């Protein structure tokens, strides 16, 4: 197969701190230990907005990012088009693969214990080259996961983060989810939260969904929420029988106002799973939470084993990601739409569209 020498991509530029379109990015040939992947889909995410926001920048846990420019897009799926000569791998040309975002080493203690989401600091599209381009050279073959035959590239992209992140938080609370008496509150059902409702529907629990946007009611109920409201007060006003005392909260917003609206609506020993990063800091109540032995657990991303499970759940039809396609050239347009809150589900960019 003849490969082009250059390609188009959208990069984060460290100097201007803006998105720039580059038309002459090199398409590199793989050497030993590397494969070249033709990108078939790259999802757009709120984290992209964060990177491009005035206080954002590359998402880089230890500050070691030294790239002047990197291609954005961290929810990536594609097809292997070339394997470097002498590479020891079971992957071959034509294989369909989804990317695990973290460049996990496979050797450190975190990786060996299956927590590869917290290994190192390098991540596709967040501080290293990612998916908003046509081809990507991969040297960490461990970050490639096979896509089941009946799962589309678009679905595989949403498994990289938008489903994986709630899936990981939900797995951390699995002990409570097998009890049919468990009452779950999902705060924020825009993107990740709506996927959380779908995942939670696979457990025998009661699900209440809250979101400021009333138009999300229909989807929330369709995907398995037992009730929906723009606030907890609205729900109790409409249904006086319903007692809003929860055992488990998944907070996909992470703001003072929303936390304040539910922290007294918890049963003793309830768990708050904090996933949303809307505000970098806010106050939690020491005494009132301590007396009831409330647990607050923070959750970030998910590990590669869970990502394989998510792909399997999609393959089995237990999860139906909401996706739409757009041509790669329209990255700037959709970033603006996402900023304005006008994007529903996952927009997946395709170079060939
Ligand atoms: Zn993302
Ligand atoms: Zn590691």
């Amino acid at each position: 197969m003849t490969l082009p020498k250059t390609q188009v991509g959208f990069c984060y530029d460290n100097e201007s701190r803006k998105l720039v379109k580059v038309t002459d990015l090199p398409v590199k040939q793989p050497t030993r230990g590397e494969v070249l992947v033709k990108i078939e889909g790259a999802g757009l995410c709120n984290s992209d907005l964060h990177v491009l926001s005035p206080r954002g920048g590359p998402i880089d846990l230890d500050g070691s990012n030294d790239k002047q420019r990197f291609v954005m897009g961290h929810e990536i799926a594609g097809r292997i088009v070339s394997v470097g000569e002498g590479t020891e791998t079971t992957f071959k040309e034509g294989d369909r693969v989804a990317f695990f975002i973290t460049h996990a080493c496979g050797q450190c203690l975190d990786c060996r214990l299956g927590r590869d989401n917290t290994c190192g600091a390098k991540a596709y599209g967040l501080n290293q080259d990612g998916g908003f381009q046509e081809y990507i050279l991969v040297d960490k073959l461990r970050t490639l996961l096979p896509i089941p035959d009946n799962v589309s590239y678009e679905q595989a992209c949403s498994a990289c983060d938008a489903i994986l992140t709630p899936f990981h938080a939900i797995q951390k609370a699995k002990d409570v989810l097998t009890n049919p008496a468990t009452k779950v509150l999902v705060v924020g059902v825009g993107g990740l939260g709506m996927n959380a409702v779908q995942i939670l529907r696979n457990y025998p629990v009661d699900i209440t969904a809250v979101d400021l946007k009333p138009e999300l009611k229909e989807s929330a109920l369709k995907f398995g929420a037992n009730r929906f409201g723009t606030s907890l007060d609205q729900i109790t006003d409409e249904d006086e029988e319903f007692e809003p005392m929860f055992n488990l909260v998944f907070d996909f917003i992470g703001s003072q106002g929303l936390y304040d609206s539910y922290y007294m609506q918890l049963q003793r020993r309830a768990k708050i799973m904090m996933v949303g990063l809307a505000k970098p800091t806010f106050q939690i109540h020491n005494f009132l939470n301590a007396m009831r032995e409330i647990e607050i657990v923070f959750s970030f991303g998910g590990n590669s084993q869970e990502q394989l499970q998510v792909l399997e759940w999609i393959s089995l039809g237990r999860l139906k990601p909401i996706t739409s396609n757009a041509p790669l050239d329209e990255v700037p347009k959709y970033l603006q739409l996402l900023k304005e809150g006008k994007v529903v589900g996952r927009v997946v960019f395709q170079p060939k569209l």
Side-chain angles (χ1 to χ4, degrees):
M1 160 182 197
T2 11
L3 294 165
K5 292 224 160 23
T6 58
Q7 57 174 331
V8 172
F10 288 91
C11 300
Y12 175 81
D13 181 70
N14 242 334
E15 211 172 273
S16 64
R17 303 176 66 90
K18 288 204 166 94
L19 183 79
V20 289
K21 182 177 176 178
V22 182
T23 53
D24 60 351
L25 288 170
V27 177
K28 295 174 192 153
Q29 288 289 342
T31 57
R32 192 180 178 134
E34 299 173 334
V35 302
L36 185 71
V37 173
K38 175 166 190 324
I39 292 166
E40 300 285 353
L44 178 68
C45 176
N46 274 306
S47 301
D48 298 318
L49 282 183
H50 174 82
V51 169
L52 293 163
S53 69
R55 286 205 206 144
I59 297 180
D60 182 3
L61 294 181
D62 69 358
S64 65
N65 173 53
D66 52 2
K67 291 216 157 203
Q68 263 315 306
R69 258 181 197 185
F70 61 88
V71 179
M72 291 187 69
H74 56 275
E75 305 178 356
I76 316 164
R79 187 166 44 87
I80 294 175
V81 287
S82 180
V83 178
E85 211 181 311
T87 303
E88 285 181 33
T89 178
T90 50
F91 285 120
K92 53 188 187 320
E93 276 179 35
D95 282 356
R96 302 163 77 238
V97 287
F99 284 56
F100 181 59
I101 299 171
T102 312
H103 288 212
C105 71
Q107 292 156 21
C108 71
L109 191 62
D110 270 355
C111 281
R112 288 188 195 281
L113 293 172
R115 306 178 199 137
D116 49 4
N117 52 321
T118 46
C119 165
K122 291 188 174 170
Y124 291 110
L126 296 171
N127 55 50
Q128 305 293 312
D129 285 343
F132 293 163
Q133 57 181 337
E134 295 160 82
Y135 294 90
I136 181 168
L137 188 73
V138 178
D139 60 2
K140 287 265 184 302
L141 303 194
R142 187 187 184 287
T143 59
L144 300 179
L145 309 175
I147 304 175
D149 287 345
N150 65 343
V151 174
S152 69
Y153 288 117
E154 293 82 355
Q155 292 173 324
C157 286
S158 57
C160 297
D161 185 3
I163 303 179
L164 179 62
T165 296
F167 191 84
H168 179 61
I170 288 167
Q171 296 313 300
K172 284 186 178 185
K174 225 164 50 176
D175 52 331
V176 209
L177 289 171
T178 49
N179 180 354
T182 293
K183 290 166 88 172
V184 183
L185 171 65
V186 180
V187 179
V189 290
L192 271 60
M194 195 66 88
N195 289 329
V197 170
Q198 277 202 62
I199 300 164
L200 287 165
R201 195 60 290 158
N202 289 277
Y203 298 93
V205 293
D206 180 87
I207 306 167
T208 299
V210 167
D211 198 292
L212 292 172
K213 291 184 180 162
E215 63 269 26
L216 293 172
K217 180 174 184 174
E218 200 186 319
S219 312
L221 297 180
K222 187 177 110 196
F223 285 124
N226 295 81
R227 65 198 66 74
F228 173 94
T230 51
S231 68
L232 280 177
D233 286 344
Q234 192 212 353
I235 290 173
T236 44
D237 284 350
E238 281 177 13
D239 179 1
E240 285 172 13
E241 308 254 293
F242 178 67
E243 232 190 293
M245 292 301 283
F246 303 98
N247 310 92
L248 185 58
V249 180
F250 292 94
D251 188 334
F252 289 100
I253 307 294
S255 73
Q256 188 76 56
L258 282 162
Y259 163 81
D260 285 346
S261 75
Y262 65 70
Y263 84 96
M264 285 308 289
Q265 309 299 129
L266 305 175
Q267 299 192 30
R268 287 191 191 89
R269 283 166 288 281
K271 260 188 195 170
I272 300 173
M273 307 300 297
M274 193 59 79
V275 186
L277 299 168
K279 290 282 176 272
T281 57
F282 60 84
Q283 290 186 323
I284 55 166
H285 302 79
N286 190 10
F287 185 63
L288 289 168
N289 284 324
M291 279 199 358
R292 297 174 296 160
E293 296 204 324
I294 302 297
E295 289 180 52
I296 304 179
V297 180
F298 291 89
S299 193
F300 187 74
N303 62 50
S304 59
Q305 189 192 347
E306 288 163 342
Q307 192 172 338
L308 285 170
Q309 278 177 281
V310 167
L311 288 165
E312 200 182 348
W313 280 39
I314 297 171
S315 168
L316 292 168
R318 290 168 74 175
L319 293 174
K320 293 188 172 51
I322 313 165
T323 61
S324 57
N325 293 116
L328 182 65
D329 251 358
E330 292 188 354
V331 168
K333 174 182 146 188
Y334 278 92
L335 272 166
Q336 186 56 34
L337 289 171
L338 185 66
K339 204 173 174 180
E340 292 165 12
K342 291 180 183 157
V343 168
V344 180
R346 228 34 172 192
V347 174
V348 175
F349 296 106
Q350 288 181 319
K352 63 170 187 254
L353 270 183

